[in-house]
Amino acid sequence: MRLKHCINFHDFRELARRRLPSPIFNYIDGAADDETTYRRNSSAFEECDLVPNVLAGVEKVDLSVKVLGQRLEVPFYCSPTALQRLFHHQGERAVAHAVQKFGTMFGVSSLGTVSLEEISSDFSFPQIYQFYFHKDRGLNRDMLERAKGAGVRIMMLTVDSITGGNRERDLRTGFSIPLRLTLEGLVQFAIKPKWAFDYLTHERFRLPQLEQHVQMAGGATSISDYFTNMLDPSMNWRDVAEMVKQWNGKFCLKGVMSVDDAKRAIDIGCSGIVISNHGGRQLDGSRSSFDQLAEIVEAVGDKIEVLLDGGVRRGTHVLKALPLGARAVGLGRYYLFPLAAAGQAGVERALELMRAEIERDMKLMGCRSVAQLSRSNLRFRNSSHREQGEP
Ligand SMILES: Cc1cc2nc3c(=O)[nH]c(=O)nc-3n(C[C@H](O)[C@H](O)[C@H](O)COP(=O)(O)O)c2cc1C
């Protein structure tokens, strides 16, 4: 199987599975506990049917959207994800090239492996910086100033990771950073020598957003120590209100799932929220992002911009989220498996397939622009949506 044979998410996932040592594949593919939320994130889209209109004159289709003050050529963006150079030696650079090509935006993670300064100096797309809240308030302030200095346009604070999720696949393989593998995990690395060759013959693995503050070299601290010892589980709305003030620009909370929290985000001056459960990697049993979308948009959609991520694998998933009021939709594993499978060429192929699916499906829906997609194009099978006044 090669890149040219990949025509959908499942193919990229399979190619990544064949190329990665299994502890790394399972780190990407895995989620918390029984992975119920992970599965539900995608299957929730199947509870919603599309109702097309025809004869609408759709030779040209405009896929652009405006979100958080930025114009995107396509209604999807690449969500922030950690450790990308571990998946493929090009890491964030590959994703950034693809994002630039498709005119969208990209979130560099606090646990990113290329510096936010490098990405903002080499690329012109709207950069998001994904932030975790530390116990050390001075460190938080310094990081915000650093991001501002680098030209980051959108600050995205992840609020669903107050403690690490229970990723049982990682417990079994011993996956951690630095790597402390079980014997079985080590064997899995030994049988994927190409990955090991690429990893060892390229620039040293780093976490440049954190390395001034956290000593990970020589195994001094692991990412799980970082979560346990440095992040602040007492973080509350007052703390975040201060950050929003200090940032004084577009500020987004990633990981909001309830109407009450969405309202509080408005009260403290946030510009946006991302409805997200971290791809099912944190609280298993949490409702799917798509299932929460209508309820949240109905309550606050005219006062704050609502984005969504989780389980998006198809153009039709995007076409179901937009009429319910999502301004844009975040992709996670959808671009990570292609990255792992084939670097920049993989991410570009995956984003092109997503763009083409959305364009084709908009034509089939009889819509020339995203604004023309409306709730009248959707029907829910599940009665709870109808009770909430859904069509
Ligand atoms: C391997 C991996 C690493 C991730 N790292 C981060 C991260 O560093 N910060 C963050 O806010 N979200 C992180 N996420 C969550 C994504 O931003 C996004 O919410 C999630 O992947 C969406 O679900 P999906 O992958 O099913 O599309 C990560 C997700 C994956 C799969």
Side-chain angles (χ1 to χ4, degrees), residues 9 24 27-30 38 41-42 78-83 87 108-112 130-132 156-161 167 227 254 274-281 289 308-313 330-337:
F9 168 82
I24 299 184
Y27 169 71
I28 303 173
D29 194 48
Y38 177 25
N41 273 346
S42 294
C78 291
S79 291
T81 56
L83 309 183
F87 313 150
V108 174
S109 167
S110 280
L111 297 171
Q130 178 273 318
F131 193 75
Y132 287 117
M156 191 175 269
L157 178 72
T158 297
V159 288
D160 59 15
S161 303
R167 320 243 174 104
F227 271 83
K254 175 173 180 286
V274 186
I275 304 179
S276 172
N277 48 44
H278 218 104
R281 297 162 74 82
S289 313
L308 164 143
D309 74 29
V312 176
R313 308 290 183 249
L331 306 174
R333 295 175 183 88
Y334 182 86
Y335 77 85
L336 283 181
F337 287 130

Side-chain angles (χ1 to χ4, degrees), residues 17-57:
R17 193 185 66 73
R18 292 183 192 193
R19 295 193 171 172
L20 287 173
S22 76
I24 299 184
F25 173 79
N26 281 307
Y27 169 71
I28 303 173
D29 194 48
D33 295 1
D34 296 318
E35 307 189 346
T36 319
T37 295
Y38 177 25
R39 288 189 296 278
R40 180 74 196 142
N41 273 346
S42 294
S43 65
F45 289 103
E46 289 165 25
E47 301 295 317
C48 174
D49 295 329
L50 292 166
V51 181
N53 292 313
V54 293
L55 304 179

